[in-house]
Amino acid sequence: MDINSGQPPYYENHGYQPENFYVTRQPVDTNMYPQYPHPYYPPSVPHYVTRVPTHQTAPPVVQPKPPSAKVCTPKIKKILCIVLSVAILLTVAIIAAVLIWYFVISSCPGSSIECGSSGTCVSPSEWCDGVAHCPNSEDENRCVRLYGPNFILEVYSSVSKSWYPVCHDDWNDSYGKTACKDMGYNINTYYYSQRVASERGSTSFMKLNTSAGNIDLYKKLYKSASCLSGTVVALRCIKCGISSKNANLQGRIVGGSASALKEWPWQVSLHVQGSHVCGGSIITPEWIVTAAHCVEGQLSSPYYWSVYAGILTQSETGYSSAYKVTKIISHPSYNSDSKDYDVALMKLQTSLRLTDAVGPVCLPNPGLFFQPEQECWISGWGAEYQGGKSSEVLNAVMVPLIERSTCNSVNVYNGLVLPTMVCAGYLKGGKDSCQGDSGGPLVTENNSVWWLVGDTSWGTGCASRRRPGVYGNMTVFTDWIYRNMQANR
Ligand code: 4AZ
């Protein structure tokens, strides 16, 4: 659901919706700032020109011949043969291209969801219904989510078609690790399971049937009206969102100031051929979230990219070790014209070593609320003024969220801000993300935890009046991110 579609004052993260939920396409923004920099361009649309043989077939006929012999000279046969072969080859190539498109590139039609990357599609009603429809049971694996600012573990009941918190009675870390693994996390990052007083008046829980023996966690869980301890499970699959940042300190980007180490430990610099190109955010030791527009065309090959973490200045890339990328996954609904679904995942060849200066940001849980003007922070090595070169130092600045309705008004972006986007910044201008900040984080602190609200996506120029920054709406992407982490472990 649209995080801004509810009535003010809240931006509500509903999470776990099929990403095909939003189908509106907006007109192309001709004023959109171009991708930075332009080292490569995707190939232009190929033109298939049918070649027609132009050479003369035979000299003028002197002696009359029977009509059949006239048509079927060996030369004509040869030409026919070539034309036929070319036609067959073209047909085979087209069929192969269609098959590749269907099995590799295509996402599922309508609102149906793809089973991992298998190409099998199932309808949303078949997910978490207790019956496996996918080849690897992906549709029944992750019927589990972390809800709200306290990471309350919830399990989906296919019977009641609803999510319920898990009663802490008989819960242990082994169950916690299983739930985390099913969400797409590696059990090595498991942080803790904690008991939290259940909300007053709660009457529905999922409870463990401990006598059920050694069966699947979800088969052990049943819906119950009571929970003896009155406590539910709060589950942390990774220690995320820890920053040394003092929220009151005013911290460049445009109009910002230089950051200190450990303030933005999730911030990474993404390099191509020794140059900073885009930003990104660490979400696990092996996964980076960035913008799809950063990895378009030729740059969709992991081969080009190097990832630097735990650095403040670009000169540090000269002697600190680069992490290589094994896989790049762009959102299948990404639209390069409208910047709809501008999000991509990078999987690293080797896991990052987490320290105080290198650590993940938390992905927004469903049920996490953002105020309409929630204070958020952007960081990056992007230009410090429109048209400038990328910065040597990591800059950061506070930017408040701007309601989508305001951002879409005629004198701001006039309808170009889609439900997959959030606006942040100042209508008066002055503080903003800029060229080279793309893909980097828009974060906010809530409950002593830093959450990834968005990824830097686009804007007209930088820090101009009535042209705030536009960011990918992470709330809409989390389900896709978890599914891909799970399917590409
Ligand atoms: C860019 O090209 C870019 N002011 C990033 C953010 C904004 C504009 C351009 C928003 O990377």
Side-chain angles (χ1 to χ4, degrees):
M1 186 187 279
D2 175 356
I3 68 159
N4 276 349
S5 70
Q7 288 305 303
Y10 292 121
Y11 289 83
E12 184 179 354
N13 177 358
H14 290 271
Y16 300 93
Q17 312 120 32
E19 65 273 10
N20 297 327
F21 191 79
Y22 305 106
V23 289
T24 21
R25 284 280 188 279
Q26 294 291 318
V28 177
D29 177 14
T30 47
N31 287 328
M32 194 111 48
Y33 214 94
Q35 177 191 337
Y36 171 85
H38 284 282
Y40 306 101
Y41 291 98
S44 54
V45 182
H47 298 278
Y48 294 99
V49 182
T50 2
R51 301 235 173 256
V52 181
T54 51
H55 57 274
Q56 285 295 321
T57 48
V61 181
V62 183
Q63 297 241 312
K65 278 178 186 164
S68 64
K70 238 191 232 172
V71 176
C72 275
T73 63
K75 245 180 185 164
I76 289 178
K77 273 186 186 165
K78 203 172 160 189
I79 291 163
L80 269 175
C81 201
I82 292 169
V83 169
L84 211 73
S85 313
V86 169
I88 289 169
L89 270 174
L90 262 174
T91 314
V92 170
I94 290 168
I95 291 171
V98 168
L99 284 174
I100 289 169
W101 175 82
Y102 184 81
F103 286 110
V104 179
I105 300 160
S106 83
S107 56
C108 293
S111 63
S112 63
I113 306 165
E114 191 174 359
C115 302
S117 45
S118 66
T120 311
C121 300
V122 302
S123 82
S125 64
E126 290 171 327
W127 280 77
C128 306
D129 68 350
V131 184
H133 299 85
C134 288
N136 299 311
S137 312
E138 292 97 329
D139 55 326
E140 299 303 317
N141 273 348
R142 201 179 55 77
C143 304
V144 56
R145 69 178 186 185
L146 303 175
Y147 188 84
N150 294 319
F151 299 86
I152 302 298
L153 175 65
E154 292 191 337
V155 172
Y156 190 76
S157 159
S158 49
V159 182
S160 334
K161 305 244 174 294
S162 197
W163 294 92
Y164 297 108
V166 176
C167 174
H168 197 282
D169 301 354
D170 302 307
W171 188 261
N172 61 39
D173 284 336
S174 168
Y175 291 127
K177 286 179 188 172
T178 302
C180 287
K181 190 164 153 270
D182 288 341
M183 262 182 284
Y185 287 99
N186 187 311
I187 55 165
N188 298 334
T189 67
Y190 177 77
Y191 191 21
Y192 64 73
S193 290
Q194 213 175 38
R195 55 172 80 241
V196 167
S198 76
E199 269 183 37
R200 250 185 300 126
S202 296
T203 52
S204 299
F205 303 91
M206 295 302 270
K207 267 185 82 171
L208 274 169
N209 175 3
T210 45
S211 56
N214 198 17
I215 58 163
D216 185 82
L217 167 63
Y218 306 102
K219 296 203 175 79
K220 279 189 188 181
L221 289 165
Y222 63 97
K223 203 184 144 201
S224 167
S226 72
C227 172
L228 250 175
S229 64
T231 58
V232 294
V233 178
L235 179 65
R236 300 287 302 266
C237 296
I238 193 164
K239 190 176 177 181
C240 60
I242 316 275
S243 163
S244 68
K245 171 117 195 87
N246 176 339
N248 297 323
L249 255 180
Q250 246 305 337
R252 243 166 333 208
I253 253 176
V254 181
S257 63
S259 309
L261 204 63
K262 306 177 192 178
E263 274 186 324
W264 318 110
W266 41 82
Q267 173 83 56
V268 292
S269 170
L270 304 179
H271 277 221
V272 174
Q273 292 177 347
S275 294
H276 168 88
V277 172
C278 270
S281 300
I282 301 167
I283 52 165
T284 80
E286 24 184 27
W287 289 100
I288 306 293
V289 170
T290 188
H293 85 253
C294 288
V295 294
E296 259 179 303
Q298 260 195 293
L299 294 181
S300 65
S301 165
Y303 165 85
Y304 290 109
W305 294 94
S306 296
V307 178
Y308 292 92
I311 58 160
L312 278 181
T313 60
Q314 283 295 321
S315 58
E316 289 168 69
T317 62
Y319 47 84
S320 70
S321 55
Y323 285 80
K324 290 306 294 173
V325 176
T326 52
K327 198 175 271 183
I328 293 179
I329 311 165
S330 280
H331 197 291
S333 304
Y334 166 63
N335 181 315
S336 60
D337 296 328
S338 65
K339 297 285 176 281
D340 205 7
Y341 293 94
D342 194 5
V343 66
L345 283 168
M346 273 185 180
K347 188 173 192 213
L348 302 180
Q349 260 174 23
T350 53
S351 295
L352 289 164
R353 204 175 67 82
L354 303 186
T355 64
D356 286 352
V358 180
V361 63
C362 299
L363 285 172
N365 294 333
L368 192 67
F369 294 90
F370 300 130
Q371 298 296 323
E373 286 162 42
Q374 175 104 14
E375 287 194 2
C376 294
W377 287 78
I378 47 173
S379 49
W381 287 273
E384 291 167 339
Y385 53 92
Q386 191 177 327
K389 60 179 190 356
S390 59
S391 166
E392 163 64 12
V393 298
L394 178 63
N395 287 317
V397 71
M398 195 283 280
V399 283
L401 290 184
I402 299 174
E403 278 195 276
R404 190 175 299 112
S405 54
T406 309
C407 210
N408 262 331
S409 61
V410 277
N411 52 14
V412 186
Y413 283 126
N414 194 17
L416 291 172
V417 183
L418 305 178
T420 56
M421 305 169 185
V422 285
C423 288
Y426 302 85
L427 293 178
K428 65 175 190 284
K431 295 173 184 180
D432 195 7
S433 50
C434 202
Q435 272 188 321
D437 290 320
S438 274
L442 170 77
V443 293
T444 194
E445 192 186 14
N446 186 307
N447 244 19
S448 313
V449 171
W450 288 83
W451 306 87
L452 188 62
V453 177
D455 65 299
T456 304
S457 180
W458 63 275
T460 305
C462 309
S464 301
R465 188 170 132 88
R466 295 204 215 101
R467 298 291 181 268
V470 187
Y471 302 81
N473 183 354
M474 211 45 62
T475 282
V476 178
F477 307 149
T478 47
D479 189 28
W480 174 81
I481 292 174
Y482 281 129
R483 215 166 39 241
N484 279 281
M485 275 170 32
Q486 192 197 53
N488 300 283
R489 39 173 90 251

